[in-house]
PDB file of all heavy atoms in Angstrom:
ATOM      1  N   TRP A   1       0.963  -1.143  -0.015  1.00 90.00           N
ATOM      2  CA  TRP A   1       0.015  -0.079   0.050  1.00 90.00           C
ATOM      3  C   TRP A   1       0.973   1.155  -0.114  1.00 90.00           C
ATOM      4  O   TRP A   1       1.588   1.498   0.958  1.00 90.00           O
ATOM      5  CB  TRP A   1      -0.991  -0.060   1.177  1.00 90.00           C
ATOM      6  CG  TRP A   1      -1.778   1.186   1.332  1.00 90.00           C
ATOM      7  CD1 TRP A   1      -1.795   2.156   2.164  1.00 90.00           C
ATOM      8  CD2 TRP A   1      -2.854   1.558   0.443  1.00 90.00           C
ATOM      9  NE1 TRP A   1      -2.787   3.066   1.956  1.00 90.00           N
ATOM     10  CE2 TRP A   1      -3.396   2.747   0.864  1.00 90.00           C
ATOM     11  CE3 TRP A   1      -3.377   0.897  -0.776  1.00 90.00           C
ATOM     12  CZ2 TRP A   1      -4.607   3.368   0.219  1.00 90.00           C
ATOM     13  CZ3 TRP A   1      -4.424   1.598  -1.393  1.00 90.00           C
ATOM     14  CH2 TRP A   1      -4.973   2.729  -0.914  1.00 90.00           C
ATOM     15  N   PRO A   2       0.802   2.093  -1.034  1.00 88.00           N
ATOM     16  CA  PRO A   2       1.858   3.109  -1.296  1.00 88.00           C
ATOM     17  C   PRO A   2       1.456   4.483  -0.536  1.00 88.00           C
ATOM     18  O   PRO A   2       2.207   5.452  -0.677  1.00 88.00           O
ATOM     19  CB  PRO A   2       1.980   3.333  -2.761  1.00 88.00           C
ATOM     20  CG  PRO A   2       0.453   2.912  -3.087  1.00 88.00           C
ATOM     21  CD  PRO A   2      -0.063   1.876  -2.171  1.00 88.00           C
ATOM     22  N   PHE A   3       0.329   4.502   0.149  1.00 87.00           N
ATOM     23  CA  PHE A   3      -0.007   5.767   0.797  1.00 87.00           C
ATOM     24  C   PHE A   3       0.119   5.660   2.313  1.00 87.00           C
ATOM     25  O   PHE A   3      -0.262   4.730   2.934  1.00 87.00           O
ATOM     26  CB  PHE A   3      -1.516   6.071   0.383  1.00 87.00           C
ATOM     27  CG  PHE A   3      -1.708   6.264  -1.018  1.00 87.00           C
ATOM     28  CD1 PHE A   3      -2.306   5.212  -1.709  1.00 87.00           C
ATOM     29  CD2 PHE A   3      -1.256   7.432  -1.656  1.00 87.00           C
ATOM     30  CE1 PHE A   3      -2.521   5.362  -3.144  1.00 87.00           C
ATOM     31  CE2 PHE A   3      -1.529   7.462  -3.121  1.00 87.00           C
ATOM     32  CZ  PHE A   3      -2.105   6.505  -3.829  1.00 87.00           C
ATOM     33  N   ALA A   4       0.633   6.811   2.871  1.00 80.00           N
ATOM     34  CA  ALA A   4       0.714   6.899   4.276  1.00 80.00           C
ATOM     35  C   ALA A   4      -0.533   7.757   4.788  1.00 80.00           C
ATOM     36  O   ALA A   4      -0.606   8.943   4.680  1.00 80.00           O
ATOM     37  CB  ALA A   4       1.985   7.609   4.713  1.00 80.00           C
ATOM     38  N   LEU A   5      -1.480   7.168   5.339  1.00 74.00           N
ATOM     39  CA  LEU A   5      -2.656   7.778   5.997  1.00 74.00           C
ATOM     40  C   LEU A   5      -2.676   8.108   7.436  1.00 74.00           C
ATOM     41  O   LEU A   5      -3.314   9.069   7.831  1.00 74.00           O
ATOM     42  CB  LEU A   5      -3.881   6.967   5.527  1.00 74.00           C
ATOM     43  CG  LEU A   5      -3.986   6.610   3.951  1.00 74.00           C
ATOM     44  CD1 LEU A   5      -5.244   5.882   3.910  1.00 74.00           C
ATOM     45  CD2 LEU A   5      -4.111   8.005   3.232  1.00 74.00           C
ATOM     46  N   SER A   6      -2.053   7.199   8.167  1.00 75.00           N
ATOM     47  CA  SER A   6      -2.012   7.498   9.643  1.00 75.00           C
ATOM     48  C   SER A   6      -0.989   8.586   9.889  1.00 75.00           C
ATOM     49  O   SER A   6      -0.035   8.849   9.263  1.00 75.00           O
ATOM     50  CB  SER A   6      -1.664   6.221  10.461  1.00 75.00           C
ATOM     51  OG  SER A   6      -0.307   5.757  10.080  1.00 75.00           O
ATOM     52  N   ARG A   7      -1.162   9.206  11.105  1.00 73.00           N
ATOM     53  CA  ARG A   7      -0.231  10.317  11.559  1.00 73.00           C
ATOM     54  C   ARG A   7       1.162   9.704  11.719  1.00 73.00           C
ATOM     55  O   ARG A   7       2.211  10.304  11.346  1.00 73.00           O
ATOM     56  CB  ARG A   7      -0.756  10.895  12.868  1.00 73.00           C
ATOM     57  CG  ARG A   7       0.208  12.001  13.473  1.00 73.00           C
ATOM     58  CD  ARG A   7      -0.254  12.581  14.707  1.00 73.00           C
ATOM     59  NE  ARG A   7      -1.543  13.220  14.500  1.00 73.00           N
ATOM     60  CZ  ARG A   7      -2.234  13.901  15.433  1.00 73.00           C
ATOM     61  NH1 ARG A   7      -1.808  13.855  16.745  1.00 73.00           N
ATOM     62  NH2 ARG A   7      -3.389  14.396  15.213  1.00 73.00           N
ATOM     63  N   ARG A   8       1.318   8.494  12.297  1.00 75.00           N
ATOM     64  CA  ARG A   8       2.622   7.938  12.487  1.00 75.00           C
ATOM     65  C   ARG A   8       3.279   7.669  11.250  1.00 75.00           C
ATOM     66  O   ARG A   8       4.557   7.933  11.108  1.00 75.00           O
ATOM     67  CB  ARG A   8       2.477   6.568  13.302  1.00 75.00           C
ATOM     68  CG  ARG A   8       3.806   5.900  13.544  1.00 75.00           C
ATOM     69  CD  ARG A   8       3.577   4.557  14.351  1.00 75.00           C
ATOM     70  NE  ARG A   8       2.729   3.679  13.671  1.00 75.00           N
ATOM     71  CZ  ARG A   8       3.292   2.723  12.686  1.00 75.00           C
ATOM     72  NH1 ARG A   8       4.563   2.805  12.537  1.00 75.00           N
ATOM     73  NH2 ARG A   8       2.531   1.962  12.004  1.00 75.00           N
ATOM     74  N   GLU A   9       2.590   7.158  10.273  1.00 73.00           N
ATOM     75  CA  GLU A   9       3.172   6.965   8.864  1.00 73.00           C
ATOM     76  C   GLU A   9       3.743   8.256   8.273  1.00 73.00           C
ATOM     77  O   GLU A   9       4.807   8.323   7.611  1.00 73.00           O
ATOM     78  CB  GLU A   9       2.333   6.217   8.017  1.00 73.00           C
ATOM     79  CG  GLU A   9       2.106   4.746   8.394  1.00 73.00           C
ATOM     80  CD  GLU A   9       1.072   4.025   7.363  1.00 73.00           C
ATOM     81  OE1 GLU A   9       0.166   4.673   7.123  1.00 73.00           O
ATOM     82  OE2 GLU A   9       1.172   2.768   7.257  1.00 73.00           O
ATOM     83  N   ARG A  10       2.964   9.228   8.452  1.00 75.00           N
ATOM     84  CA  ARG A  10       3.312  10.531   7.833  1.00 75.00           C
ATOM     85  C   ARG A  10       4.389  11.204   8.527  1.00 75.00           C
ATOM     86  O   ARG A  10       5.293  11.786   7.858  1.00 75.00           O
ATOM     87  CB  ARG A  10       2.025  11.531   7.933  1.00 75.00           C
ATOM     88  CG  ARG A  10       0.902  11.102   6.818  1.00 75.00           C
ATOM     89  CD  ARG A  10      -0.149  12.197   6.599  1.00 75.00           C
ATOM     90  NE  ARG A  10      -0.582  12.904   7.796  1.00 75.00           N
ATOM     91  CZ  ARG A  10      -1.662  12.471   8.419  1.00 75.00           C
ATOM     92  NH1 ARG A  10      -2.304  11.301   7.977  1.00 75.00           N
ATOM     93  NH2 ARG A  10      -2.188  13.057   9.522  1.00 75.00           N
ATOM     94  N   GLU A  11       4.493  11.017   9.859  1.00 71.00           N
ATOM     95  CA  GLU A  11       5.560  11.565  10.513  1.00 71.00           C
ATOM     96  C   GLU A  11       6.965  10.847  10.094  1.00 71.00           C
ATOM     97  O   GLU A  11       8.048  11.357   9.970  1.00 71.00           O
ATOM     98  CB  GLU A  11       5.485  11.279  12.028  1.00 71.00           C
ATOM     99  CG  GLU A  11       4.356  12.273  12.681  1.00 71.00           C
ATOM    100  CD  GLU A  11       4.149  11.925  14.041  1.00 71.00           C
ATOM    101  OE1 GLU A  11       4.599  10.918  14.575  1.00 71.00           O
ATOM    102  OE2 GLU A  11       3.422  12.666  14.712  1.00 71.00           O
ATOM    103  N   GLN A  12       6.831   9.516   9.827  1.00 73.00           N
ATOM    104  CA  GLN A  12       8.033   8.840   9.268  1.00 73.00           C
ATOM    105  C   GLN A  12       8.433   9.197   7.797  1.00 73.00           C
ATOM    106  O   GLN A  12       9.610   9.172   7.529  1.00 73.00           O
ATOM    107  CB  GLN A  12       7.662   7.300   9.187  1.00 73.00           C
ATOM    108  CG  GLN A  12       7.553   6.545  10.575  1.00 73.00           C
ATOM    109  CD  GLN A  12       7.084   5.159  10.453  1.00 73.00           C
ATOM    110  OE1 GLN A  12       6.572   4.681   9.352  1.00 73.00           O
ATOM    111  NE2 GLN A  12       7.091   4.497  11.507  1.00 73.00           N
ATOM    112  N   ASN A  13       7.503   9.822   7.102  1.00 71.00           N
ATOM    113  CA  ASN A  13       7.807  10.406   5.814  1.00 71.00           C
ATOM    114  C   ASN A  13       8.096  11.850   5.872  1.00 71.00           C
ATOM    115  O   ASN A  13       8.331  12.374   4.795  1.00 71.00           O
ATOM    116  CB  ASN A  13       6.641  10.201   4.876  1.00 71.00           C
ATOM    117  CG  ASN A  13       6.367   8.772   4.449  1.00 71.00           C
ATOM    118  OD1 ASN A  13       7.330   7.894   4.555  1.00 71.00           O
ATOM    119  ND2 ASN A  13       5.133   8.386   4.034  1.00 71.00           N
ATOM    120  N   GLY A  14       8.247  12.445   6.965  1.00 68.00           N
ATOM    121  CA  GLY A  14       8.717  13.785   6.970  1.00 68.00           C
ATOM    122  C   GLY A  14       7.573  14.552   7.845  1.00 68.00           C
ATOM    123  O   GLY A  14       8.021  15.722   8.316  1.00 68.00           O
ATOM    124  N   GLY A  15       6.391  14.233   7.909  1.00 65.00           N
ATOM    125  CA  GLY A  15       5.405  14.715   8.693  1.00 65.00           C
ATOM    126  C   GLY A  15       4.616  16.024   8.170  1.00 65.00           C
ATOM    127  O   GLY A  15       3.609  16.208   8.663  1.00 65.00           O
ATOM    128  N   THR A  16       5.128  16.686   7.280  1.00 69.00           N
ATOM    129  CA  THR A  16       4.440  17.876   6.707  1.00 69.00           C
ATOM    130  C   THR A  16       4.397  17.787   5.043  1.00 69.00           C
ATOM    131  O   THR A  16       5.250  17.024   4.531  1.00 69.00           O
ATOM    132  CB  THR A  16       5.096  19.132   7.137  1.00 69.00           C
ATOM    133  OG1 THR A  16       6.456  19.155   6.634  1.00 69.00           O
ATOM    134  CG2 THR A  16       5.068  19.292   8.717  1.00 69.00           C
ATOM    135  N   GLY A  17       3.474  18.486   4.614  1.00 73.00           N
ATOM    136  CA  GLY A  17       3.448  18.618   3.194  1.00 73.00           C
ATOM    137  C   GLY A  17       2.793  17.366   2.513  1.00 73.00           C
ATOM    138  O   GLY A  17       2.574  16.358   3.165  1.00 73.00           O
ATOM    139  N   ILE A  18       2.462  17.580   1.270  1.00 78.00           N
ATOM    140  CA  ILE A  18       1.643  16.467   0.433  1.00 78.00           C
ATOM    141  C   ILE A  18       2.526  15.309   0.228  1.00 78.00           C
ATOM    142  O   ILE A  18       2.114  14.125   0.224  1.00 78.00           O
ATOM    143  CB  ILE A  18       1.252  17.080  -0.901  1.00 78.00           C
ATOM    144  CG1 ILE A  18       0.304  15.979  -1.557  1.00 78.00           C
ATOM    145  CG2 ILE A  18       2.511  17.348  -1.834  1.00 78.00           C
ATOM    146  CD1 ILE A  18      -1.021  15.860  -1.030  1.00 78.00           C
ATOM    147  N   SER A  19       3.882  15.402   0.320  1.00 74.00           N
ATOM    148  CA  SER A  19       4.808  14.237  -0.119  1.00 74.00           C
ATOM    149  C   SER A  19       4.811  13.252   1.163  1.00 74.00           C
ATOM    150  O   SER A  19       5.050  12.086   1.050  1.00 74.00           O
ATOM    151  CB  SER A  19       6.267  14.792  -0.119  1.00 74.00           C
ATOM    152  OG  SER A  19       6.750  15.453   1.026  1.00 74.00           O
ATOM    153  N   SER A  20       4.367  13.775   2.399  1.00 78.00           N
ATOM    154  CA  SER A  20       4.400  12.863   3.513  1.00 78.00           C
ATOM    155  C   SER A  20       3.255  11.782   3.403  1.00 78.00           C
ATOM    156  O   SER A  20       3.261  10.836   4.145  1.00 78.00           O
ATOM    157  CB  SER A  20       4.122  13.646   4.816  1.00 78.00           C
ATOM    158  OG  SER A  20       2.813  14.243   4.871  1.00 78.00           O
ATOM    159  N   TYR A  21       2.380  11.918   2.518  1.00 76.00           N
ATOM    160  CA  TYR A  21       1.211  10.971   2.291  1.00 76.00           C
ATOM    161  C   TYR A  21       1.739   9.934   1.295  1.00 76.00           C
ATOM    162  O   TYR A  21       0.892   8.842   1.190  1.00 76.00           O
ATOM    163  CB  TYR A  21      -0.027  11.643   1.702  1.00 76.00           C
ATOM    164  CG  TYR A  21      -0.723  12.521   2.675  1.00 76.00           C
ATOM    165  CD1 TYR A  21      -0.455  13.783   2.845  1.00 76.00           C
ATOM    166  CD2 TYR A  21      -1.751  11.917   3.374  1.00 76.00           C
ATOM    167  CE1 TYR A  21      -1.006  14.672   3.819  1.00 76.00           C
ATOM    168  CE2 TYR A  21      -2.492  12.762   4.386  1.00 76.00           C
ATOM    169  CZ  TYR A  21      -2.112  14.073   4.518  1.00 76.00           C
ATOM    170  OH  TYR A  21      -2.789  14.749   5.437  1.00 76.00           O
ATOM    171  N   PHE A  22       2.898   9.917   0.737  1.00 83.00           N
ATOM    172  CA  PHE A  22       3.274   8.958  -0.151  1.00 83.00           C
ATOM    173  C   PHE A  22       4.655   8.032   0.417  1.00 83.00           C
ATOM    174  O   PHE A  22       5.539   8.781   0.824  1.00 83.00           O
ATOM    175  CB  PHE A  22       3.736   9.529  -1.452  1.00 83.00           C
ATOM    176  CG  PHE A  22       2.579  10.197  -2.152  1.00 83.00           C
ATOM    177  CD1 PHE A  22       2.388  11.608  -2.018  1.00 83.00           C
ATOM    178  CD2 PHE A  22       1.692   9.610  -2.974  1.00 83.00           C
ATOM    179  CE1 PHE A  22       1.338  12.326  -2.521  1.00 83.00           C
ATOM    180  CE2 PHE A  22       0.668  10.267  -3.621  1.00 83.00           C
ATOM    181  CZ  PHE A  22       0.491  11.622  -3.346  1.00 83.00           C
ATOM    182  N   LYS A  23       4.511   6.918   0.345  1.00 85.00           N
ATOM    183  CA  LYS A  23       5.627   6.014   0.828  1.00 85.00           C
ATOM    184  C   LYS A  23       6.567   5.736  -0.359  1.00 85.00           C
ATOM    185  O   LYS A  23       6.170   4.999  -1.295  1.00 85.00           O
ATOM    186  CB  LYS A  23       5.047   4.650   1.299  1.00 85.00           C
ATOM    187  CG  LYS A  23       4.119   4.844   2.464  1.00 85.00           C
ATOM    188  CD  LYS A  23       3.670   3.371   2.807  1.00 85.00           C
ATOM    189  CE  LYS A  23       2.653   3.484   3.993  1.00 85.00           C
ATOM    190  NZ  LYS A  23       2.056   2.231   4.379  1.00 85.00           N
ATOM    191  N   LYS A  24       7.501   6.534  -0.443  1.00 87.00           N
ATOM    192  CA  LYS A  24       8.536   6.567  -1.661  1.00 87.00           C
ATOM    193  C   LYS A  24       9.071   5.206  -1.981  1.00 87.00           C
ATOM    194  O   LYS A  24       8.977   4.888  -3.102  1.00 87.00           O
ATOM    195  CB  LYS A  24       9.545   7.571  -1.329  1.00 87.00           C
ATOM    196  CG  LYS A  24      10.594   7.687  -2.485  1.00 87.00           C
ATOM    197  CD  LYS A  24      11.725   8.696  -2.243  1.00 87.00           C
ATOM    198  CE  LYS A  24      12.593   8.736  -3.483  1.00 87.00           C
ATOM    199  NZ  LYS A  24      13.838   9.698  -2.982  1.00 87.00           N
ATOM    200  N   ASP A  25       9.505   4.287  -1.016  1.00 91.00           N
ATOM    201  CA  ASP A  25      10.003   3.116  -1.297  1.00 91.00           C
ATOM    202  C   ASP A  25       9.062   2.171  -1.962  1.00 91.00           C
ATOM    203  O   ASP A  25       9.321   1.367  -2.898  1.00 91.00           O
ATOM    204  CB  ASP A  25      10.650   2.345  -0.186  1.00 91.00           C
ATOM    205  CG  ASP A  25       9.673   2.250   0.952  1.00 91.00           C
ATOM    206  OD1 ASP A  25       8.589   3.026   0.983  1.00 91.00           O
ATOM    207  OD2 ASP A  25       9.831   1.523   1.878  1.00 91.00           O
ATOM    208  N   ILE A  26       7.807   2.188  -1.582  1.00 92.00           N
ATOM    209  CA  ILE A  26       6.675   1.339  -2.097  1.00 92.00           C
ATOM    210  C   ILE A  26       6.324   1.969  -3.551  1.00 92.00           C
ATOM    211  O   ILE A  26       6.056   1.116  -4.429  1.00 92.00           O
ATOM    212  CB  ILE A  26       5.458   1.327  -1.215  1.00 92.00           C
ATOM    213  CG1 ILE A  26       5.921   0.724   0.158  1.00 92.00           C
ATOM    214  CG2 ILE A  26       4.377   0.478  -1.911  1.00 92.00           C
ATOM    215  CD1 ILE A  26       4.756   0.533   1.155  1.00 92.00           C
ATOM    216  N   TRP A  27       6.304   3.255  -3.728  1.00 93.00           N
ATOM    217  CA  TRP A  27       6.129   3.687  -5.139  1.00 93.00           C
ATOM    218  C   TRP A  27       7.157   3.337  -5.949  1.00 93.00           C
ATOM    219  O   TRP A  27       6.917   2.954  -7.231  1.00 93.00           O
ATOM    220  CB  TRP A  27       5.932   5.215  -5.108  1.00 93.00           C
ATOM    221  CG  TRP A  27       4.629   5.770  -4.691  1.00 93.00           C
ATOM    222  CD1 TRP A  27       4.234   6.239  -3.514  1.00 93.00           C
ATOM    223  CD2 TRP A  27       3.510   5.720  -5.451  1.00 93.00           C
ATOM    224  NE1 TRP A  27       3.044   6.604  -3.477  1.00 93.00           N
ATOM    225  CE2 TRP A  27       2.449   6.232  -4.701  1.00 93.00           C
ATOM    226  CE3 TRP A  27       3.168   5.379  -6.848  1.00 93.00           C
ATOM    227  CZ2 TRP A  27       1.158   6.496  -5.146  1.00 93.00           C
ATOM    228  CZ3 TRP A  27       1.899   5.604  -7.207  1.00 93.00           C
ATOM    229  CH2 TRP A  27       0.882   6.056  -6.467  1.00 93.00           C
ATOM    230  N   ILE A  28       8.451   3.360  -5.605  1.00 95.00           N
ATOM    231  CA  ILE A  28       9.599   2.879  -6.457  1.00 95.00           C
ATOM    232  C   ILE A  28       9.340   1.383  -6.816  1.00 95.00           C
ATOM    233  O   ILE A  28       9.434   0.895  -7.964  1.00 95.00           O
ATOM    234  CB  ILE A  28      10.821   3.190  -5.849  1.00 95.00           C
ATOM    235  CG1 ILE A  28      11.137   4.584  -5.691  1.00 95.00           C
ATOM    236  CG2 ILE A  28      12.001   2.359  -6.582  1.00 95.00           C
ATOM    237  CD1 ILE A  28      12.317   5.008  -4.992  1.00 95.00           C
ATOM    238  N   LEU A  29       8.922   0.545  -5.791  1.00 95.00           N
ATOM    239  CA  LEU A  29       8.678  -0.853  -6.115  1.00 95.00           C
ATOM    240  C   LEU A  29       7.735  -1.091  -7.101  1.00 95.00           C
ATOM    241  O   LEU A  29       7.786  -1.997  -8.004  1.00 95.00           O
ATOM    242  CB  LEU A  29       8.380  -1.677  -4.754  1.00 95.00           C
ATOM    243  CG  LEU A  29       7.856  -3.030  -4.843  1.00 95.00           C
ATOM    244  CD1 LEU A  29       9.059  -3.889  -5.374  1.00 95.00           C
ATOM    245  CD2 LEU A  29       7.356  -3.534  -3.531  1.00 95.00           C
ATOM    246  N   TRP A  30       6.538  -0.318  -6.957  1.00 95.00           N
ATOM    247  CA  TRP A  30       5.464  -0.372  -7.997  1.00 95.00           C
ATOM    248  C   TRP A  30       5.860  -0.042  -9.365  1.00 95.00           C
ATOM    249  O   TRP A  30       5.422  -0.712 -10.369  1.00 95.00           O
ATOM    250  CB  TRP A  30       4.275   0.333  -7.616  1.00 95.00           C
ATOM    251  CG  TRP A  30       3.321  -0.462  -6.612  1.00 95.00           C
ATOM    252  CD1 TRP A  30       3.120  -0.062  -5.374  1.00 95.00           C
ATOM    253  CD2 TRP A  30       2.638  -1.600  -6.926  1.00 95.00           C
ATOM    254  NE1 TRP A  30       2.335  -1.008  -4.742  1.00 95.00           N
ATOM    255  CE2 TRP A  30       2.008  -2.048  -5.676  1.00 95.00           C
ATOM    256  CE3 TRP A  30       2.491  -2.338  -8.032  1.00 95.00           C
ATOM    257  CZ2 TRP A  30       1.146  -3.085  -5.632  1.00 95.00           C
ATOM    258  CZ3 TRP A  30       1.655  -3.470  -7.946  1.00 95.00           C
ATOM    259  CH2 TRP A  30       1.089  -3.833  -6.793  1.00 95.00           C
ATOM    260  N   PHE A  31       6.737   0.915  -9.469  1.00 96.00           N
ATOM    261  CA  PHE A  31       7.176   1.352 -10.808  1.00 96.00           C
ATOM    262  C   PHE A  31       8.093   0.250 -11.321  1.00 96.00           C
ATOM    263  O   PHE A  31       8.096  -0.034 -12.556  1.00 96.00           O
ATOM    264  CB  PHE A  31       8.159   2.650 -10.668  1.00 96.00           C
ATOM    265  CG  PHE A  31       7.196   3.804 -10.501  1.00 96.00           C
ATOM    266  CD1 PHE A  31       7.645   4.768  -9.631  1.00 96.00           C
ATOM    267  CD2 PHE A  31       6.239   4.050 -11.444  1.00 96.00           C
ATOM    268  CE1 PHE A  31       6.845   6.000  -9.399  1.00 96.00           C
ATOM    269  CE2 PHE A  31       5.413   5.340 -11.232  1.00 96.00           C
ATOM    270  CZ  PHE A  31       5.660   6.310 -10.240  1.00 96.00           C
ATOM    271  N   LYS A  32       8.831  -0.473 -10.531  1.00 96.00           N
ATOM    272  CA  LYS A  32       9.608  -1.690 -10.994  1.00 96.00           C
ATOM    273  C   LYS A  32       8.723  -2.736 -11.475  1.00 96.00           C
ATOM    274  O   LYS A  32       8.962  -3.419 -12.534  1.00 96.00           O
ATOM    275  CB  LYS A  32      10.635  -2.069  -9.910  1.00 96.00           C
ATOM    276  CG  LYS A  32      11.684  -1.071  -9.613  1.00 96.00           C
ATOM    277  CD  LYS A  32      12.617  -1.450  -8.463  1.00 96.00           C
ATOM    278  CE  LYS A  32      13.623  -0.404  -8.042  1.00 96.00           C
ATOM    279  NZ  LYS A  32      14.399  -0.671  -6.966  1.00 96.00           N
ATOM    280  N   ILE A  33       7.658  -3.061 -10.779  1.00 94.00           N
ATOM    281  CA  ILE A  33       6.720  -4.017 -11.020  1.00 94.00           C
ATOM    282  C   ILE A  33       6.086  -3.737 -12.299  1.00 94.00           C
ATOM    283  O   ILE A  33       5.851  -4.694 -13.325  1.00 94.00           O
ATOM    284  CB  ILE A  33       5.637  -4.179  -9.899  1.00 94.00           C
ATOM    285  CG1 ILE A  33       6.219  -4.760  -8.716  1.00 94.00           C
ATOM    286  CG2 ILE A  33       4.420  -4.929 -10.419  1.00 94.00           C
ATOM    287  CD1 ILE A  33       5.420  -4.805  -7.438  1.00 94.00           C
ATOM    288  N   LEU A  34       5.674  -2.459 -12.661  1.00 93.00           N
ATOM    289  CA  LEU A  34       5.087  -2.245 -13.938  1.00 93.00           C
ATOM    290  C   LEU A  34       6.175  -2.391 -15.058  1.00 93.00           C
ATOM    291  O   LEU A  34       5.760  -2.776 -16.179  1.00 93.00           O
ATOM    292  CB  LEU A  34       4.745  -0.606 -13.867  1.00 93.00           C
ATOM    293  CG  LEU A  34       3.493  -0.312 -12.969  1.00 93.00           C
ATOM    294  CD1 LEU A  34       3.140   1.161 -12.982  1.00 93.00           C
ATOM    295  CD2 LEU A  34       2.294  -1.159 -13.388  1.00 93.00           C
ATOM    296  N   VAL A  35       7.411  -2.111 -14.803  1.00 94.00           N
ATOM    297  CA  VAL A  35       8.417  -2.355 -15.793  1.00 94.00           C
ATOM    298  C   VAL A  35       8.445  -3.840 -16.119  1.00 94.00           C
ATOM    299  O   VAL A  35       8.505  -4.294 -17.283  1.00 94.00           O
ATOM    300  CB  VAL A  35       9.942  -1.872 -15.299  1.00 94.00           C
ATOM    301  CG1 VAL A  35      10.875  -2.460 -16.227  1.00 94.00           C
ATOM    302  CG2 VAL A  35       9.822  -0.363 -15.378  1.00 94.00           C
ATOM    303  N   SER A  36       8.331  -4.643 -15.111  1.00 92.00           N
ATOM    304  CA  SER A  36       8.265  -6.243 -15.377  1.00 92.00           C
ATOM    305  C   SER A  36       7.112  -6.584 -16.077  1.00 92.00           C
ATOM    306  O   SER A  36       7.128  -7.599 -16.842  1.00 92.00           O
ATOM    307  CB  SER A  36       8.332  -6.882 -13.890  1.00 92.00           C
ATOM    308  OG  SER A  36       9.523  -6.635 -13.290  1.00 92.00           O
ATOM    309  N   CYS A  37       6.004  -5.776 -16.015  1.00 89.00           N
ATOM    310  CA  CYS A  37       4.766  -6.204 -16.747  1.00 89.00           C
ATOM    311  C   CYS A  37       4.737  -6.010 -18.176  1.00 89.00           C
ATOM    312  O   CYS A  37       3.971  -6.502 -18.940  1.00 89.00           O
ATOM    313  CB  CYS A  37       3.618  -5.436 -16.080  1.00 89.00           C
ATOM    314  SG  CYS A  37       3.182  -5.932 -14.462  1.00 89.00           S
ATOM    315  N   VAL A  38       5.721  -4.985 -18.561  1.00 88.00           N
ATOM    316  CA  VAL A  38       5.625  -4.542 -20.072  1.00 88.00           C
ATOM    317  C   VAL A  38       5.826  -5.595 -21.062  1.00 88.00           C
ATOM    318  O   VAL A  38       4.914  -5.784 -22.022  1.00 88.00           O
ATOM    319  CB  VAL A  38       6.724  -3.437 -20.260  1.00 88.00           C
ATOM    320  CG1 VAL A  38       6.841  -3.172 -21.714  1.00 88.00           C
ATOM    321  CG2 VAL A  38       6.378  -2.188 -19.425  1.00 88.00           C
ATOM    322  N   PRO A  39       6.715  -6.663 -20.889  1.00 85.00           N
ATOM    323  CA  PRO A  39       7.059  -7.524 -22.005  1.00 85.00           C
ATOM    324  C   PRO A  39       5.684  -8.469 -22.245  1.00 85.00           C
ATOM    325  O   PRO A  39       5.223  -8.673 -23.208  1.00 85.00           O
ATOM    326  CB  PRO A  39       8.140  -8.450 -21.414  1.00 85.00           C
ATOM    327  CG  PRO A  39       8.917  -7.486 -20.777  1.00 85.00           C
ATOM    328  CD  PRO A  39       7.973  -6.571 -19.989  1.00 85.00           C
ATOM    329  N   ALA A  40       5.079  -9.067 -21.046  1.00 78.00           N
ATOM    330  CA  ALA A  40       4.033  -9.895 -21.067  1.00 78.00           C
ATOM    331  C   ALA A  40       2.666  -9.146 -21.582  1.00 78.00           C
ATOM    332  O   ALA A  40       1.964  -9.589 -22.194  1.00 78.00           O
ATOM    333  CB  ALA A  40       3.822 -10.581 -19.690  1.00 78.00           C
ATOM    334  N   ALA A  41       2.666  -7.807 -21.054  1.00 77.00           N
ATOM    335  CA  ALA A  41       1.501  -7.107 -21.426  1.00 77.00           C
ATOM    336  C   ALA A  41       1.342  -6.855 -22.844  1.00 77.00           C
ATOM    337  O   ALA A  41       0.281  -6.959 -23.527  1.00 77.00           O
ATOM    338  CB  ALA A  41       1.396  -5.802 -20.650  1.00 77.00           C
TER     339      ALA A  41
END
């Protein structure tokens, strides 16, 4: 799940601003997964 919705998760991501709602490492993982999907898709 790539979104930080709880206060604790947002604090771990920096705590302020729109970027705190996104889990950067998980977004990067999903981009890699989409790259893996390209050949078969």
Side-chain angles (χ1 to χ4, degrees):
W1 180 246
F3 299 102
L5 300 181
S6 69
R7 178 180 296 178
R8 182 177 61 84
E9 288 178 326
R10 293 200 303 274
E11 288 175 351
Q12 290 174 346
N13 287 342
T16 59
I18 191 68
S19 62
S20 67
Y21 286 88
F22 299 94
K23 300 176 182 177
K24 182 180 178 181
D25 55 338
I26 297 180
W27 277 103
I28 292 173
L29 174 63
W30 275 112
F31 286 132
K32 293 173 182 176
I33 288 172
L34 292 177
V35 168
S36 294
C37 291
V38 170

